[in-house]
Amino acid sequence: MSETAAELRQNEKKSETIPVFGYELIREVLLYEILGNDAPDILYWAGKRLARHYPMESISQMIEFFQQAAWGNLTIIKESKDEMEFMLFSSLISDRLQKNDQCTFQLEAGFIAQQLEIQKEVICEAYEQPHKKRGKVHFTVKWDKKDTLNRS
């Protein structure tokens, strides 16, 4: 059975990879050169903006997005009535944590916060806790059910 041209192109796109060096140049060097000391704050809000461009209806879609964007493997650790905890890990994240003591994951934190804000319809805020030795990043997302979004 032969694949159609469209199926072949789709399979090619799935197998494309980005060299880690190119990713690190942009993520760890260029962005910080451009944004300076405000980089973490700006990246958090940039993550929120990205999430508004790619709204997702479920956590599973968000997990898949992280894998497609090469941001890492996102897993839910626990959930309560006003908080969710996630763990993010990959070999790239482990390398970033080992090579750069100042690396942040505020882009991802902002993205997670905004996705949960969209899904839960409450204002959310995410906090990152990198674990250098474990090569993982822990995210805590908090919200107050009284802080609902005003949808007028």
Side-chain angles (χ1 to χ4, degrees), residues 41-92:
D41 294 332
I42 294 170
L43 288 172
Y44 184 85
W45 293 105
K48 289 182 80 92
R49 187 167 178 98
L50 273 175
R52 289 189 289 272
H53 282 287
Y54 297 95
M56 294 169 198
E57 297 176 5
S58 68
I59 301 293
S60 61
Q61 286 179 338
M62 190 169 68
I63 290 169
E64 186 176 326
F65 180 91
F66 267 70
Q67 290 171 340
Q68 289 177 347
W71 285 358
N73 301 305
L74 186 68
T75 59
I76 300 171
I77 297 174
K78 72 178 193 179
E79 181 176 3
S80 66
K81 65 181 176 104
D82 59 357
E83 182 177 292
M84 276 187 92
E85 293 182 27
F86 296 89
M87 188 65 71
L88 182 64
F89 57 94
S90 74
S91 58
L92 180 59

Side-chain angles (χ1 to χ4, degrees), residues 14 19 24 35 48 55-56 59 62 69 74 77-78 92 117 127 139 142 146 152:
K14 285 183 181 178
E24 287 179 347
L35 303 175
K48 289 182 80 92
M56 294 169 198
I59 301 293
M62 190 169 68
L74 186 68
I77 297 174
K78 72 178 193 179
L92 180 59
E117 203 167 287
Y127 307 92
F139 294 96
K142 296 184 178 210
K146 293 179 237 163
S152 313

